[in-house]
Amino acid sequence: MLKRFVSHINTQHFPYTHSLLFELKKKKRKLKSRKPPQRDSAAIALRESRCKMADANMNNTETEHVSIDSEAAHVISSAVECHGDDDDVGALHDVVKGLPSHAVKDLLSVGVCTRCILRLFGIGGNIYSISVISPSILNSVIGEQRHDEEISSNSKELEFEEVLCALCLGILQFTYCDDKEIPVKKGNANDMAVAISELVKREGYQIDSFSLEVSVPPIILENEHSVRLYMKRKYGTETWFQGGPLSQSISAKDALKFSLAKPLETMLDCKSGISNFRIRLTFSHKASKVVQSVAVSKQGCKRIKTGTGSSVDSLDDSVAGDIKCSDLADATVERSFDGLQDNESSECFKFPLEKVNDACRLVLLCQRTPIYFGGRYLKYSRNVSQTRWIIDDERMGEASVEEIIGSNIQPLCQGDNYKFHAAGREDIDVRMLGSGRPFLVEVQNARRIPSEAFVREIETNINNLENKLVGVKNLKVVGIEGWTMMHEGEAEKQKQYAALVWISRPLEDVDLDSISSLKDMQILQGTPIRVLHRRSPLQREKIIHWMKIERIGGSSQYFLLHLCTQAGTYIKEFVHGDLGRTHPSIGSILGCRAEILQLDVTDVKMDCFLTE
């Protein structure tokens, strides 16, 4: 195969083909020195792709540079990933030799950094994490550096590195300002990954995977569009450009992810990908304010719904503003620039790019998506509210279900805070018995991953509290589907009650029969007087599915009323009638005055968290 290449190709005119031959020869020498490994399908595919590209170049011997099409970019990226750490310089050499040298020199001259040049030509993979990438290395590979310039190569490299990239604003040079506006320069991707991994470990996160999220200033998208227009106008007629390399370019976000993913995987000892643990890097730049405001105003500004007490909200206002504004602007700005890809006459984009004097501000945030604990709670006290209840700085009741359960879950999970959700609610003076009421506790940004034994420990701690105000059953860790299941069943559920009732006359046997004979009785309830101050005055139709009366020995005017109703029925008002706002009522059915003295919820009929 090597002989066939040499006999048909003038390597002087095909620098990339020359690098392929060099690599094949190098691999051949390595194979001679050790036992040949088994050739897998990936290796075969890589070699066939290289041969295919070389054959294609034989048919165009008058062209000065190779066409870097999408397939070629993929092959180059694969080749880079096959190199070990000892072959980093060789891998970089092979990649750069395949690029049009005059275009590379042009981009360097206008202040574009080496990693941005690679990504503009669609080169992906682990090459971005190589520490030796610098303009001087790139110049030496493409033969641009003369002998008299080599003498001062060290000073030139330093000079290159001190200039912020006009395209990525220093992001791919690992230069930024921290949250205190102090400039920070990391030597390479490994150094930046060390800082990130130290934060993760310092926060005490237990992780088995992570996802890397990057948000960049909108000005970078503007700069990229300007560079594409410039390259198209200047090199659009050349063969290498017609192969469409710029259409396969890598975004600054993805290039930074390529740079950091591999070293982070090594340092954190886990894989990156889709994960409930997110490492988010949010870059902002003052030059983006105009671009961002224009794009957002065109798309229409919409409020971003954020959870109260989230990690973003816990940051200072300026930092939180950067993150929220970036979240809002990223999508709208990208949509705006997508519509301008082929607009060469746009006056919004100018070239050459402006010199960058200030690095981007970086906000580094580690956060785990919420963990949900689902189960059923029981409330044994008539002086405990479901949620924390404060009126005029005075607590109502001695405790709340929310605080008792949440305060036992959050510390063990080492979360930032928690939210309590339940399928309906009972009044503070109503007990919740029987099978319990379904609930969810949403723990935000938990550091500890709950195991099955860990969940059992939490349930035991709650049920063994001395005051015995609240208990839990069937506690488990659930996904977001638990939320959906609970709220879908909430509207359809039935609830059973036991009420202690007093009537103004003695109870008769005929009363028991008249009450128990009523099935699926429809009632009409106006908003109760006791909640009119916080709820709209509406008329609601509800269904009483069944009722029965249980006598109390030694009393003719007191009895227990057992009933099953549609969710959302006001039971107290159904007993006494609420001055005629609920009809019919127990009082109107029995033809006397009726009052409810105590009420217990004995069952919430929902197929939700019934078993462990």
Side-chain angles (χ1 to χ4, degrees):
M1 177 66 72
L2 292 178
K3 290 181 179 180
R4 183 168 68 90
F5 281 168
V6 172
S7 63
H8 287 87
I9 300 177
N10 182 350
T11 58
Q12 180 179 0
H13 297 291
F14 299 96
Y16 179 62
T17 305
H18 182 275
S19 69
L20 292 181
L21 292 174
F22 174 78
E23 185 175 348
L24 290 173
K25 290 177 181 178
K26 183 174 64 174
K27 288 183 178 293
K28 186 175 181 180
R29 287 194 299 270
K30 288 183 178 181
L31 289 175
K32 287 182 179 180
S33 63
R34 67 175 189 269
K35 183 179 178 180
Q38 291 184 348
R39 298 172 62 194
D40 56 17
S41 58
I44 294 173
L46 176 61
R47 178 162 181 158
E48 289 179 349
S49 297
R50 288 169 172 164
C51 294
K52 180 179 178 181
M53 291 173 59
D55 289 337
N57 290 330
M58 281 188 261
N59 297 325
N60 193 12
T61 56
E62 295 180 358
T63 304
E64 182 181 357
H65 297 284
V66 181
S67 172
I68 310 297
D69 59 13
S70 59
E71 181 181 2
H74 173 72
V75 171
I76 294 173
S77 303
S78 301
V80 171
E81 294 182 0
C82 291
H83 281 271
D85 293 336
D86 295 337
D87 295 328
D88 284 351
V89 177
L92 180 59
H93 179 279
D94 294 339
V95 170
V96 175
K97 290 288 284 186
L99 303 179
S101 59
H102 61 305
V104 171
K105 176 187 174 183
D106 195 3
L107 291 172
L108 284 173
S109 68
V110 296
V112 179
C113 71
T114 310
R115 289 181 177 84
C116 279
I117 291 175
L118 295 177
R119 68 183 183 87
L120 283 174
F121 285 99
I123 310 301
N126 295 328
I127 191 171
Y128 293 92
S129 61
I130 296 177
S131 60
V132 297
I133 295 182
S134 67
S136 60
I137 291 290
L138 199 153
N139 270 333
S140 65
V141 173
I142 64 176
E144 192 62 33
Q145 206 168 14
R146 296 182 176 87
H147 175 70
D148 56 342
E149 294 174 329
E150 292 177 359
I151 299 175
S152 57
S153 61
N154 292 334
S155 62
K156 278 191 173 290
E157 180 172 347
L158 180 62
E159 180 182 350
F160 277 125
E161 291 300 322
E162 288 177 346
V163 176
L164 293 176
C165 174
L167 188 55
C168 70
L169 312 182
I171 290 176
L172 294 179
Q173 296 166 306
F174 312 111
T175 301
Y176 57 90
C177 292
D178 61 17
D179 54 0
K180 298 179 181 178
E181 302 294 341
I182 299 175
V184 178
K185 178 171 177 56
K186 299 298 182 181
N188 50 50
N190 275 351
D191 291 345
M192 191 166 186
V194 167
I196 296 173
S197 63
E198 286 178 350
L199 174 63
V200 174
K201 295 173 182 177
R202 186 167 61 250
E203 290 286 328
Y205 287 102
Q206 292 181 348
I207 61 174
D208 51 13
S209 63
F210 68 92
S211 65
L212 188 61
E213 300 178 356
V214 177
S215 176
V216 300
I219 187 69
I220 292 180
L221 296 177
E222 177 186 351
N223 291 347
E224 289 178 356
H225 185 71
S226 298
V227 170
R228 288 193 185 99
L229 290 181
Y230 169 74
M231 298 287 282
K232 183 175 182 179
R233 291 168 181 168
K234 187 169 184 178
Y235 303 109
T237 59
E238 296 188 13
T239 304
W240 68 267
F241 188 91
Q242 294 173 359
L246 297 190
S247 64
Q248 305 295 326
S249 61
I250 308 297
S251 68
K253 294 181 183 181
D254 290 340
L256 187 60
K257 291 178 184 179
F258 283 136
S259 301
L260 297 175
K262 187 176 181 181
L264 279 176
E265 287 179 348
T266 301
M267 296 173 191
L268 297 176
D269 193 25
C270 59
K271 291 293 184 181
S272 63
I274 299 176
S275 174
N276 63 3
F277 178 71
R278 300 176 297 164
I279 300 173
R280 181 176 176 83
L281 286 73
T282 302
F283 292 91
S284 59
H285 197 274
K286 57 186 179 181
S288 287
K289 301 299 182 182
V290 175
V291 177
Q292 192 165 297
S293 61
V294 170
V296 173
S297 63
K298 288 182 179 180
Q299 295 292 332
C301 184
K302 296 181 179 180
R303 293 179 60 87
I304 299 176
K305 184 177 180 181
T306 58
T308 57
S310 68
S311 293
V312 171
D313 292 332
S314 65
L315 299 171
D316 64 77
D317 292 341
S318 61
V319 173
D322 281 345
I323 294 177
K324 290 181 180 179
C325 200
S326 178
D327 285 338
L328 175 63
D330 275 358
T332 56
V333 171
E334 287 181 12
R335 286 197 297 268
S336 298
F337 282 105
D338 283 344
L340 296 173
Q341 292 301 318
D342 297 323
N343 184 6
E344 298 187 39
S345 62
S346 176
E347 297 179 357
C348 299
F349 309 105
K350 298 180 180 180
F351 200 88
L353 303 176
E354 295 182 2
K355 182 179 179 181
V356 180
N357 296 317
D358 301 311
C360 293
R361 185 187 187 194
L362 171 62
V363 175
L364 176 59
L365 180 66
C366 298
Q367 188 173 28
R368 175 171 275 118
T369 54
I371 295 177
Y372 294 93
F373 290 79
R376 291 192 170 225
Y377 76 80
L378 299 101
K379 181 162 76 77
Y380 306 117
S381 170
R382 299 190 188 278
N383 195 30
V384 172
S385 59
Q386 186 187 78
T387 57
R388 190 167 179 261
W389 189 9
I390 305 294
I391 298 178
D392 295 332
D393 297 328
E394 182 179 350
R395 171 184 283 275
M396 301 290 105
E398 58 182 305
S400 70
V401 177
E402 173 188 43
E403 292 170 301
I404 292 173
I405 297 178
S407 63
N408 279 274
I409 292 178
Q410 180 192 348
L412 292 179
C413 290
Q414 299 175 18
D416 289 347
N417 42 59
Y418 67 88
K419 293 181 180 179
F420 183 85
H421 313 274
R425 63 170 58 238
E426 66 283 332
D427 292 337
I428 188 172
D429 59 346
V430 176
R431 296 187 299 178
M432 180 67 240
L433 306 176
S435 60
R437 185 184 295 277
F439 74 91
L440 283 174
V441 172
E442 175 186 345
V443 181
Q444 297 179 341
N445 200 21
R447 271 71 172 175
R448 184 176 177 184
I449 301 176
S451 63
E452 186 174 340
F454 174 73
V455 176
R456 296 280 76 78
E457 177 186 354
I458 295 175
E459 182 173 328
T460 301
N461 291 344
I462 296 174
N463 291 332
N464 290 340
L465 293 174
E466 292 183 4
N467 51 24
K468 300 291 184 183
L469 299 177
V470 172
V472 295
K473 298 170 63 175
N474 308 330
L475 188 66
K476 66 183 75 174
V477 176
V478 298
I480 192 66
E481 65 275 4
W483 174 277
T484 303
M485 181 170 58
M486 188 178 74
H487 282 274
E488 284 180 350
E490 184 177 1
E492 303 173 359
K493 69 178 182 293
Q494 296 180 6
K495 296 165 69 176
Q496 293 184 15
Y497 299 88
L500 177 60
V501 179
W502 171 88
I503 56 176
S504 58
R505 62 170 177 80
L507 185 68
E508 301 176 358
D509 290 340
V510 67
D511 297 328
L512 277 69
D513 295 335
S514 63
I515 292 294
S516 61
S517 65
L518 298 172
K519 305 294 182 182
D520 294 327
M521 179 178 66
Q522 188 171 11
I523 65 172
L524 187 64
Q525 290 193 308
T527 301
I529 295 174
R530 62 187 172 93
V531 297
L532 263 177
H533 64 285
R534 65 175 187 269
R535 297 206 175 171
S536 302
L538 301 175
Q539 295 289 321
R540 299 172 178 86
E541 293 183 352
K542 298 296 179 181
I543 297 176
I544 309 298
H545 296 288
W546 55 261
M547 295 182 289
K548 68 177 181 179
I549 291 177
E550 178 183 348
R551 287 182 179 273
I552 297 177
S555 175
S556 61
Q557 291 180 264
Y558 293 88
F559 61 88
L560 288 176
L561 174 66
H562 300 275
L563 68 165
C564 177
T565 73
Q566 180 184 352
T569 304
Y570 292 104
I571 304 302
K572 294 177 180 178
E573 283 68 25
F574 172 65
V575 172
H576 57 64
D578 197 27
L579 301 178
R581 298 173 66 85
T582 294
H583 185 82
S585 64
I586 293 295
S588 66
I589 294 171
L590 297 180
C592 63
R593 180 185 170 194
E595 297 291 344
I596 184 168
L597 305 179
Q598 289 184 346
L599 179 64
D600 293 331
V601 183
T602 56
D603 194 14
V604 177
K605 293 186 175 296
M606 286 179 61
D607 297 331
C608 187
F609 313 139
L610 285 173
T611 58
E612 296 185 5

